[in-house]
């Protein structure tokens, strides 16, 4: 009679624990032995065995996953995947302390009345004609008017020249038109005619990357990522430099 040694190929390196008996590889489920070649560090679960005999399945291995730990690093492949969260979440909100005069008079006017007033306001300029690599979205100005502090057009020209991208302005000076969604108080407000905030569309763009580019130009005191746009405000110090040059 020929006896088969079922323990011949036993590999004890897979386990960390105490054994009361020898157990062959064919009892070890393959599902617990995945290929973790993609990770730089992987600690397998510690297995606490309490097997009093080879075929006593009432005492089948008890698994202790308290020590389970893996630390994925950047995984290089032909697609250059990067699992670093910091690489995908950039500059959600940037706020620099900025202050100045507050003019909320347009918040009390309808859109049509505010438009007529803005045409005669020497401190404002009409953005409707757009500029160098930037334009406005007429359809987006449902309760706002396309006016901003005088000098805004020159600054936007400089910004697009620096970042090398086209920009679309979807909101500027807020009015009292029904349904206006903007906060009506404070310096950093769409309703502050002294320096109204602007909304810049992010459709078709990487919002985090665009926000970082705008912030790095140094022309903005506020850059915040909203649902489909960036909420920005030009640093008031930049207007002072324009006034000095003029």
């Amino acid at each position: 009679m020929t006896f088969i040694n079922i323990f011949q190929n036993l590999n004890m390196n897979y386990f960390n624990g105490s054994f009361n008996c020898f157990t062959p590889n064919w009892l070890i489920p393959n599902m617990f032995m995945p290929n973790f070649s993609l990770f730089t560090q992987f600690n397998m679960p510690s297995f606490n065995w309490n097997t009093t005999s080879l075929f006593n399945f009432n005492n089948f291995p008890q698994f202790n996953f308290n020590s389970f730990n893996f630390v994925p690093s950047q995984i290089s492949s032909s697609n250059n995947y990067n699992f670093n969260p910091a690489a995908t979440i950039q500059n959600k909100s940037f706020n620099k302390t900025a202050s100045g005069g507050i003019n909320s008079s347009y918040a009390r006017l309808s859109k049509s009345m505010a438009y007529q007033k803005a045409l005669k306001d020497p401190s404002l300029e009409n953005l409707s004609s757009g500029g160098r690599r930037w334009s406005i979205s007429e359809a987006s100005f449902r309760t706002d008017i396309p006016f901003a502090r005088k000098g805004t057009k020159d600054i936007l020209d400089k910004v697009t020249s620096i970042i090398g991208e086209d920009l679309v302005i979807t909101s500027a000076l807020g009015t009292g038109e029904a349904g206006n969604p903007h906060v009506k108080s404070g310096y950093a407000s769409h309703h502050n005619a002294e320096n109204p905030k602007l909304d810049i569309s992010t459709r078709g763009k990487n919002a985090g990357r665009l926000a970082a580019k705008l912030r790095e130009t140094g022309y903005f005191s506020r850059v915040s990522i909203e649902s489909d746009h960036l909420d920005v405000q030009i640093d008031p110090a930049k207007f002072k430099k324009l006034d000095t040059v003029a």
Side-chain angles (χ1 to χ4, degrees):
M1 179 179 295
T2 302
F3 293 92
I4 299 175
N5 185 354
I6 63 176
F7 308 107
Q8 183 176 355
N9 296 318
L10 180 63
N11 185 346
M12 303 298 291
N13 292 328
Y14 287 114
F15 303 98
N16 175 22
S18 60
F19 295 81
N20 292 326
C21 72
F22 293 98
T23 307
N25 281 345
W26 57 269
L27 283 180
I28 302 171
N30 290 330
M31 64 178 290
F32 294 110
M33 302 302 159
N35 183 355
F36 294 103
S37 60
L38 291 177
F39 301 95
T40 58
Q41 180 181 340
F42 191 94
N43 296 330
M44 285 297 295
S46 63
F47 300 142
N48 296 330
W49 292 72
N50 183 20
T51 309
T52 55
S53 66
L54 179 61
F55 298 106
N56 184 355
F57 291 98
N58 291 327
N59 293 309
F60 203 73
Q62 299 176 357
F63 305 111
N64 179 7
F65 288 91
N66 291 332
S67 62
F68 183 83
N69 177 43
F70 72 94
V71 181
S73 64
Q74 290 187 353
I75 300 177
S76 298
S77 71
S78 60
N79 292 321
N80 296 321
Y81 293 114
N82 187 341
F83 288 87
N84 181 2
T88 56
I89 303 175
Q90 306 175 41
N91 304 300
K92 177 65 178 175
S93 182
F94 166 74
N95 287 285
K96 175 183 175 182
T97 301
S99 61
I102 297 176
N103 176 4
S104 57
S105 61
Y106 287 83
R108 297 187 291 271
L109 303 175
S110 66
K111 180 180 177 181
S112 60
M113 292 177 65
Y115 192 94
Q116 293 303 315
K117 179 180 179 180
L119 287 173
K120 303 173 184 178
D121 192 333
S123 67
L124 299 176
E125 63 184 8
N126 195 337
L127 307 180
S128 297
S129 60
R132 212 175 302 149
R133 300 197 66 172
W134 64 269
S135 61
I136 70 163
S137 171
E138 292 280 359
S140 299
F141 282 80
R142 293 186 294 272
T143 60
D144 294 1
I145 56 176
F147 285 82
R149 179 170 173 170
K150 191 173 182 178
T152 296
K153 296 175 72 172
D154 287 340
I155 289 176
L156 290 177
D157 283 349
K158 293 179 183 296
V159 167
T160 55
S161 176
I162 294 171
I163 69 174
E165 287 192 46
D166 297 339
L167 298 178
V168 177
I169 310 301
T170 60
S171 177
L173 181 57
T175 72
E177 190 76 9
N180 195 299
H182 306 305
V183 176
K184 297 180 175 58
S185 61
Y187 182 81
S189 166
H190 282 276
H191 290 278
N192 181 14
E194 288 291 319
N195 183 15
K197 292 195 301 181
L198 306 174
D199 286 347
I200 299 176
S201 174
T202 56
R203 292 181 180 178
K205 297 177 179 289
N206 182 306
R209 188 177 297 116
L210 180 59
K213 281 187 172 184
L214 294 182
R215 178 180 61 81
E216 289 166 3
T217 65
Y219 276 93
F220 298 92
S221 57
R222 173 184 173 83
V223 179
S224 179
I225 300 176
E226 307 295 341
S227 58
D228 59 355
H229 65 272
L230 301 181
D231 185 64
V232 307
Q233 186 171 41
I234 296 174
D235 187 341
K238 298 301 180 181
F239 290 110
K240 293 178 181 179
K241 288 185 178 180
L242 285 178
D243 294 340
T244 301
V245 172

